[in-house]
């Protein structure tokens, strides 16, 4: 323990080790006194009053304090919940800027600001029941680490969970399974590279809290959307939790970068784990409740909640905005991550009540020289009024395209009147993004994600089966746009299994060959199932982990095939939207950059588009007319392709278009086939039989 206390500095916030000691700084406008609490290995506490306050930042420098030191704060100030004030020095508080956190909350009554029975003020000391902030050593040998900076049009995203991806892999040593090091193991990197993945999008790795309600049921917060530390890597994904989780996370990023794979973090800046007025006092609530949370106007004991989790961060205050921006910059500059996917991003746009695409948060992001240069992906909805904002985010942003997901699912399960919408989605969703000056890559295309059915379950279940979650199957989305192909759940019927396999290939091929940026859910390429559970947020078990012993080798090879086709051919990953106008090469090619064709080989008419019963469609992509330059400034040209889709239950004969499109074609993908297709060559005007519920891709002969 130490007794030396120097004034220190009010910037940066948090605990900053400089080689001789540590500077501590914390913001609180309402505080009357702030105590820094240092803990030794036995849990003994030393309290040190912070002597200085500048611009409501309390600070001190303690010489001799080394990395690994565990600490927290006690804030003395007003405690009047009706006025939104919840200071209580009996509650040990986590540093909002803690770079590492050790331990977990044990949910003792002392962690709450009120007594469970009476609701009266609770002055029980919470220190022994709380996790502790940890001083870290910021030094790390990055070597020659460089961010891959993969252009969006060349990006293939793989959404993954640190634990779910690695827990059962036979080549990963047991001690590394479920850890950051496990994600960077050669076995995982080789798998990602074989799929053509260029970016791994990790589900929340900011320090999060295990919910008491789940623990009481024998369940856990598996997904991690319950953040309490916006600067700290989650300690349960590390081998060592005394601050070494930072080093382990950096090691993972370095190894993935060396393999050419970017790291994107799924971040939760819309709420915290402290919940509503009935939640615990862990950090922000006891430091400066009104500065960090949106409270109900006129009744400030209650919290505004547009996230369904109890509270929402108050992005109208400079303190909350600074916290978010400081966190984002830290993960880019110090942890070397390459981008962020913002959970329920519409909440961040709620400057007042309505969603405002020009809110202060987006202004700050756009002018920030660091954050504005990485990949920014919005989940463009929340549960509040007007929260569904697909297509309405600012120019720098890309978006999870929920309309793509819904349309592609409806199309392949044979819904009526879907071909027009389907055509818009697979060609880049110009109707959503072109008006704001964005390009096809603004659309992050996905069919499945962590929230909902896996790909295997999407074609195996009509209904959700979430009984294991302990909520009477009332949780999770009920309208999944899924189709079980005739039997609910597992079956031995060969025809059903054959159809399901074909449908999985249809979804994978559509996803990878659509304009925009594809995102694949981890394990979908392997046939992973959750047995019909579409809300695995609380299932930290074999139910949600990838079972590497049970994989669909045929589906895996097919996924590699179509991903390589995308990688090899810029026709499928254009930087600009199609114009539908003729493309003229030197020899005078009059064919459009894209053409929509009937099964008879004729251009689609308005009547064809309006036919609600239509179950087939063909698309011609003119690779000669890309008219884009590559990184070397050379004009990009490519082969031409013909894609045909049949969602009916009967085979359909497609007449290939006239020779002005191409004189000959070779089949390169046929989802009706189990493996590599035979190199069948057909001529312009020939008929090609496309099997029921199948898709075919033909490449024009040179």
């Amino acid at each position: 323990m130490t007794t030396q206390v120097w004034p220190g500095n009010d910037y940066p916030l948090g605990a900053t080790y400089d080689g001789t000691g540590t500077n501590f700084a914390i913001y609180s406008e309402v505080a009357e006194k702030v105590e820094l609490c240092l803990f030794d290995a036995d849990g003994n506490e030393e309290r040190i009053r912070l002597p200085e306050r500048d611009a409501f930042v309390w600070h001190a420098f303690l010489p001799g304090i080394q990395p690994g030191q565990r600490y927290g704060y006690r804030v003395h100030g007003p405690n009047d919940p009706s006025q939104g004030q919840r200071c209580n020095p009996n509650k040990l508080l986590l540093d909002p800027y803690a770079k590492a956190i050790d331990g977990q909350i044990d949910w003792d009554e002392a962690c709450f600001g009120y007594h469970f029975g009476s609701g009266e003020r609770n002055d029980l000391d919470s220190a022994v029941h709380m996790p502790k902030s940890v001083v870290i050593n910021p030094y790390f040998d990055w070597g020659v680490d460089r961010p891959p900076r993969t252009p969006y049009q060349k990006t293939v995203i793989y959404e993954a969970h640190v634990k779910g991806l690695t827990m059962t892999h036979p080549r990963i040593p047991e001690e590394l399974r479920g850890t950051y090091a496990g994600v960077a193991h050669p076995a995982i990197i080789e798998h990602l590279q074989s799929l053509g993945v260029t970016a791994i999008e990790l589900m929340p790795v900011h320090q999060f809290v295990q919910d008491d309600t789940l623990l009481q049921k024998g369940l856990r917060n598996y997904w991690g959307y319950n953040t309490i530390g916006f600067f700290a890597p989650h300690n349960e994904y590390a081998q060592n939790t005394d601050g070494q989780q930072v080093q382990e996370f950096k090691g993972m990023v370095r190894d993935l970068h060396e393999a050419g794979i970017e790291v994107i973090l799924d971040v939760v800046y819309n709420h915290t784990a402290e919940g509503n007025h009935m939640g615990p006092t862990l950090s922000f609530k006891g430091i400066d409740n009104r500065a960090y949370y949106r409270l109900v106007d006129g009744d400030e004991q209650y919290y505004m909640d547009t996230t369904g989790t109890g509270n929402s961060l108050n992005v109208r205050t400079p303190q909350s905005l600074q916290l978010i921006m400081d966190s984002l910059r830290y993960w880019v500059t110090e942890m070397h991550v390459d981008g962020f996917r913002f959970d329920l991003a519409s909440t961040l746009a709620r400057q007042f009540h309505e969603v405002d695409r020009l809110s202060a948060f987006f202004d700050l992001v756009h002018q920030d020289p660091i954050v504005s240069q990485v990949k920014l992906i919005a989940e463009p909805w929340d549960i509040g009024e007007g929260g569904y904002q697909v297509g309405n985010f600012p120019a720098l942003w890309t978006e999870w395209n929920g309309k793509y997901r819904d349309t592609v699912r409806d199309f392949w399960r044979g819904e009526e009147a879907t071909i027009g919408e389907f055509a818009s989605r697979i060609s880049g969703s110009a109707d959503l993004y072109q008006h704001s000056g964005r390009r096809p890559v603004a659309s992050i295309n996905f069919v499945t994600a962590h929230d909902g059915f896996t790909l295997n379950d999407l074609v195996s279940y009509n209904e959700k089966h979430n009984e294991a979650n302990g909520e009477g199957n009332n949780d999770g989305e009920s309208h999944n746009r899924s189709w079980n192909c005739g039997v609910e759940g597992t079956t031995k019927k060969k025809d059903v299994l054959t159809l399901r396999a074909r449908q999985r290939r249809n979804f994978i091929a559509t996803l990878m060959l659509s304009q925009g940026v594809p995102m694949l859910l981890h394990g979908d390429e392997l046939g992973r199932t959750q047995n019909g559970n579409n809300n695995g947020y609380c299932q930290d078990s074999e139910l949600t982990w990838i079972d590497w012993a049970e994989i669909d080798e045929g589906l895996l090879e097919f996924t590699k095939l179509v991903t390589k086709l995308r990688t090899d051919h810029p026709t499928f990953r254009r930087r600009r939207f199609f114009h539908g106008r003729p493309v003229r090469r030197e020899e005078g090619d009059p064919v459009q950059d894209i053409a929509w064709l009937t099964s008879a080989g004729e251009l689609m008419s308005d009547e064809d588009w309006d036919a609600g019963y239509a179950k087939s469609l063909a698309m011609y992509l003119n690779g000669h007319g890309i008219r884009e330059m590559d990184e070397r400034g050379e004009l990009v040209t490519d082969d031409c392709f013909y894609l045909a889709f049949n969602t009916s239950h009967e085979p359909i004969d497609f007449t290939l278009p006239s020779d002005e499109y191409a004189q000959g074609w070779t089949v390169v993908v046929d989802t009706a086939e189990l493996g590599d297709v035979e190199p069948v060559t057909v001529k312009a005007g020939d008929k090609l039989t496309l099997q029921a519920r199948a898709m075919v891709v033909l490449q024009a002969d040179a």
Side-chain angles (χ1 to χ4, degrees), residues 129-151:
H129 308 287
M130 281 287 295
K132 309 298 188 293
S133 306
V134 183
V135 177
I136 70 160
N137 185 346
Y139 175 76
F140 179 77
D141 184 6
W142 283 102
V144 294
D145 182 67
R146 295 289 186 275
R149 296 194 181 280
T150 306

Side-chain angles (χ1 to χ4, degrees), residues 386-667:
Y388 193 78
Q389 292 291 315
V390 173
N392 291 330
F393 275 69
L396 281 180
W397 291 72
T398 62
E399 301 174 13
W400 270 26
N401 190 344
K403 292 186 177 181
Y404 178 96
R405 171 199 60 202
D406 295 346
T407 300
V408 171
R409 288 186 178 194
D410 279 346
F411 179 77
W412 279 116
R413 68 187 180 126
E415 289 293 290
E416 301 286 334
T418 56
I419 61 170
E421 181 87 358
F422 179 74
S424 294
R425 300 300 150 243
I426 65 173
S427 60
S429 294
D431 57 324
L432 298 178
Y433 303 113
Q434 193 168 25
H435 67 90
S436 58
R438 289 186 282 175
R439 294 185 175 182
V441 293
S443 177
I444 305 297
N445 299 329
F446 67 106
V447 175
T448 56
H450 67 273
D451 188 1
F453 282 142
T454 66
L455 180 61
N456 182 79
D457 293 357
L458 184 68
V459 301
S460 304
Y461 295 90
N462 285 348
E463 308 295 335
K464 63 185 180 182
H465 296 270
N466 298 350
E467 291 81 6
N469 295 354
E471 300 179 40
N473 204 34
N474 292 315
D475 62 304
E477 176 61 58
S478 296
H479 183 45
N480 294 283
R481 294 180 162 87
S482 61
W483 179 46
N484 64 18
C485 298
V487 176
E488 186 74 358
T490 58
T491 182
K492 294 183 179 180
K493 291 187 175 182
K494 187 175 180 180
D495 58 337
V496 173
L497 294 175
T498 298
L499 178 55
R500 287 178 179 176
R502 184 177 298 181
Q503 287 286 75
R504 288 195 293 269
R505 293 192 292 270
N506 287 333
F507 281 120
I508 292 287
T510 302
L511 175 66
M512 290 301 171
L513 302 181
S514 294
Q515 305 297 322
V517 180
M519 184 186 79
L520 185 68
L521 172 63
H522 80 189
D524 273 357
E525 76 282 9
L526 307 171
R528 182 174 75 91
T529 179
Q530 291 181 176
N531 298 330
N533 190 317
N534 74 350
N535 192 30
Y537 78 102
C538 58
Q539 298 293 334
D540 187 359
S541 67
E542 290 85 354
L543 181 69
T544 51
W545 305 338
I546 292 179
D547 183 357
W548 289 94
E550 286 289 335
I551 63 176
D552 184 334
E553 293 286 356
L555 180 60
L556 175 59
E557 292 307 311
F558 179 83
T559 305
K560 293 177 182 178
L561 170 70
V562 293
T563 306
K564 187 176 188 302
L565 189 64
R566 176 186 182 85
T567 301
D568 291 346
H569 293 282
T571 297
F572 298 111
R573 43 183 176 82
R574 290 171 56 102
R575 294 177 58 241
R576 293 176 174 83
F577 288 108
F578 296 104
H579 297 294
R581 296 193 295 265
V583 172
R584 298 191 180 277
R585 294 183 294 164
E586 293 179 2
E587 59 269 31
D589 183 358
V591 179
Q592 297 170 317
D593 56 0
I594 186 172
W596 301 100
L597 305 166
T598 67
S599 59
E602 303 294 333
L603 289 173
M604 292 279 288
S605 66
D606 290 343
E607 183 179 353
D608 294 323
W609 287 116
D610 293 338
Y613 56 84
K615 301 288 186 181
S616 64
L617 179 69
M619 174 174 67
Y620 168 82
L621 299 177
N622 191 337
H624 302 141
I626 296 178
R627 290 183 175 176
E628 297 172 0
M629 289 187 176
D630 62 15
E631 292 82 354
R632 299 179 181 178
E634 298 176 356
L635 190 65
V636 175
T637 60
D638 192 18
D639 298 325
C640 300
F641 288 87
Y642 172 89
L643 290 76
F645 308 88
N646 175 19
T647 66
S648 73
H649 62 279
E650 297 287 348
I652 293 179
D653 286 336
F654 279 76
T655 300
L656 296 177
S658 60
D659 57 9
E660 67 176 338
Y661 292 88
Q663 293 185 347
W665 300 90
T666 300
V667 177

Side-chain angles (χ1 to χ4, degrees), residues 207-261:
Q207 185 68 40
F208 60 85
V209 169
Q210 295 294 340
D211 308 67
D212 185 40
T213 54
L214 294 178
L215 294 175
Q216 290 180 19
K217 297 178 183 178
L219 302 172
R220 288 171 57 81
N221 179 7
Y222 174 65
W223 285 354
Y225 292 96
N226 205 22
T227 304
I228 196 61
F230 293 107
F231 294 78
H234 187 61
N235 54 34
E236 292 182 305
Y237 298 152
Q239 294 176 274
N240 302 293
T241 62
D242 57 352
Q244 293 303 307
Q245 56 262 52
V246 177
Q247 305 293 315
E248 293 182 32
F249 183 91
K250 289 178 177 179
M252 175 193 70
V253 173
R254 181 187 58 196
D255 292 348
L256 288 168
H257 280 181
E258 187 176 354
I261 298 171

Side-chain angles (χ1 to χ4, degrees), residues 323-341:
L323 173 82
I324 296 172
M325 295 305 299
D326 285 350
S327 172
L328 292 170
R329 280 191 292 268
Y330 174 78
W331 286 96
V332 175
T333 60
E334 298 297 321
M335 308 296 266
H336 287 205
V337 305
D338 305 283
F340 306 95
R341 178 265 188 188

Side-chain angles (χ1 to χ4, degrees), residues 57-95:
V57 175
W58 303 74
H59 56 91
F61 181 88
L62 276 62
I65 293 298
Q66 298 291 311
Q69 174 66 57
R70 297 157 73 244
Y71 72 98
Y73 289 105
R74 296 181 186 273
V75 175
H76 300 252
N79 187 292
D80 184 355
S82 67
Q83 298 300 311
Q85 299 168 330
R86 296 180 179 270
C87 296
N88 187 335
N90 298 296
K91 310 305 172 187
L92 185 75
L93 304 172
L94 290 168
D95 182 357

